[in-house]
Amino acid sequence: MPSDSNEAFGDEDDHLLAGTNFLRRIGHNIDKTWTASAGLDEDGHPQVLVIGFNNIQLVNEKGKVVLDVGSRNIRALRSVNTGGLQLCTTTNVATENFRTRWPHYISVEDAQYLENLWLDLFPLNHAGPQLNSLPWREEEYTYYVGRVVTEAAKCDVALAGLATTAYLILGRSPEKIHGQSGKALKDKLTEIGEHCKSPIFSKLGERYYAWYDKRNFATHGIRGTGADGHPTGQVFKHKKGTQPSEVYTEVDDQDFQQLALIWRAFYDLNHDAFEISFHLGFYNSHTESGTPEEFIGRTPLSSTGTPDSQMPWQ
């Protein structure tokens, strides 16, 4: 595919000048444009690639915008070995035939310049999307791990809030509960359960900490790859502290099904934390019969949470 298409726009020496001047001639708004590149589409027809502050456009030789995609739906803008650039979009972009690859043929040097420009601008001006396309199946793993991380983070907050409420009912200072997670938070829930003879609180702490370790594997582990370079379900995580050499590294299996199960466990915990918090919200020291410990001990829970058969130790 030829790359010296700037002459089609009247400025054959500079693809950026050619693209910008063409936009001016057709009255295209360039106030929110970083740059514009004159090139060719896959059929050899002139086109201009427009890099905006939060979008990329493709404009054909007749001045028609054939693609206008926001930054959140841009997977990558990268130079390719066959020459020119490839604009990769997500499947969320409504285009003909659900197309996700858009070529822009220019010289190798010009393509590399635009790729570097986009990567330099992207983190500063385009919040949220990924910089480059991910290898096969890695995008799915990223999605699943991300769901585990966000649901577990909500669970940290929900259970810390639950422990705080229980402490206030018991007349204790909740100062050391704020921001707690992991074993420290589990110990607080267990302590409340034992003090108030509430198996629900004790079980909640037990369930939370069991899945918290799984969450740590998903968050801090390094996923293995197969002989074909594709990610596998095997995850490796270094143990903290000084350990015998044979247990420096722990291994766990976290394929898609396992990651979905971990997410569901935290989802259930969040649901249960909400239900328990709702009950504790009815406490009033002036009207509630019995002691605070008895009130907390009567905390109901309609759901059974994660089945024991699906707990990590099974």
Side-chain angles (χ1 to χ4, degrees):
M1 182 67 66
S3 61
D4 56 344
S5 61
N6 304 328
E7 58 186 318
F9 295 90
D11 300 274
E12 62 180 81
D13 294 330
D14 189 329
H15 71 118
L16 300 181
L17 180 61
T20 302
N21 285 342
F22 175 76
L23 294 183
R24 287 197 177 100
R25 287 197 296 271
I26 66 173
H28 191 91
N29 185 3
I30 61 174
D31 292 339
K32 295 183 179 181
T33 297
W34 282 106
T35 192
S37 166
L40 299 174
D41 63 18
E42 67 268 45
D43 297 320
H45 300 142
Q47 78 173 0
V48 174
L49 182 143
V50 185
I51 298 180
F53 288 96
N54 58 4
N55 71 318
I56 286 182
Q57 294 178 326
L58 290 176
V59 182
N60 65 19
E61 59 187 320
K62 297 181 180 180
K64 179 182 177 182
V65 177
V66 296
L67 178 68
D68 188 355
V69 55
S71 60
R72 290 188 178 275
N73 287 319
I74 296 174
R75 293 276 302 275
L77 182 66
R78 60 191 177 200
S79 58
V80 293
N81 295 334
T82 55
L85 286 166
Q86 187 178 65
L87 172 62
C88 306
T89 65
T90 69
T91 55
N92 294 330
V93 179
T95 60
E96 56 184 13
N97 301 322
F98 300 99
R99 184 176 177 181
T100 60
R101 299 287 187 271
W102 301 79
H104 181 69
Y105 291 100
I106 50 179
S107 70
V108 174
E109 294 78 13
D110 292 343
Q112 189 62 60
Y113 168 80
L114 286 179
E115 179 184 28
N116 291 335
L117 175 65
W118 177 252
L119 291 175
D120 287 341
L121 296 174
F122 204 73
L124 298 177
N125 299 283
H126 310 282
Q130 56 200 42
L131 297 180
N132 297 295
S133 60
L134 294 173
W136 180 81
R137 297 204 84 183
E138 191 171 328
E139 182 175 2
E140 288 89 341
Y141 275 116
T142 302
Y143 171 79
Y144 275 76
V145 171
R147 289 289 297 269
V148 168
V149 171
T150 53
E151 198 67 31
K154 289 191 291 184
C155 191
D156 290 342
V157 175
L159 294 185
L162 185 63
T164 295
T165 302
Y167 260 50
L168 290 173
I169 291 175
L170 293 170
R172 302 179 182 179
S173 171
E175 180 179 353
K176 294 184 179 181
I177 298 177
H178 292 292
Q180 293 283 11
S181 63
K183 186 177 184 302
L185 181 54
K186 176 257 186 186
D187 289 344
K188 286 289 186 290
L189 294 169
T190 302
E191 176 196 342
I192 294 169
E194 292 176 349
H195 178 73
C196 299
K197 296 181 175 57
S198 170
I200 286 178
F201 270 87
S202 299
K203 184 67 173 179
L204 203 65
E206 183 181 17
R207 286 166 52 201
Y208 164 71
Y209 192 57
W211 291 108
Y212 188 83
D213 186 54
K214 292 289 186 178
R215 169 262 183 197
N216 284 343
F217 257 100
T219 305
H220 303 296
I222 299 174
R223 191 165 298 280
T225 55
D228 56 3
H230 298 163
T232 69
Q234 198 171 42
V235 183
F236 302 86
K237 183 173 73 70
H238 286 285
K239 292 179 68 69
K240 291 184 178 181
T242 304
Q243 301 288 340
S245 58
E246 66 270 17
V247 292
Y248 272 151
T249 303
E250 298 176 289
V251 184
D252 196 18
D253 289 323
Q254 290 189 351
D255 57 13
F256 291 138
Q257 184 177 5
Q258 286 295 318
L259 288 171
L261 187 63
I262 298 169
W263 170 83
R264 179 54 190 264
F266 281 107
Y267 178 88
D268 288 342
L269 282 165
N270 278 319
H271 178 276
D272 293 348
F274 174 81
E275 185 174 340
I276 296 171
S277 295
F278 184 78
H279 167 76
L280 297 185
F282 284 103
Y283 178 78
N284 186 313
S285 59
H286 299 293
T287 60
E288 184 64 37
S289 61
T291 66
E293 288 80 1
E294 290 171 337
F295 173 77
I296 294 175
R298 292 195 299 269
T299 300
L301 187 60
S302 60
S303 67
T304 58
T306 306
D308 286 340
S309 61
Q310 293 183 348
M311 293 297 285
W313 53 75
Q314 295 297 324

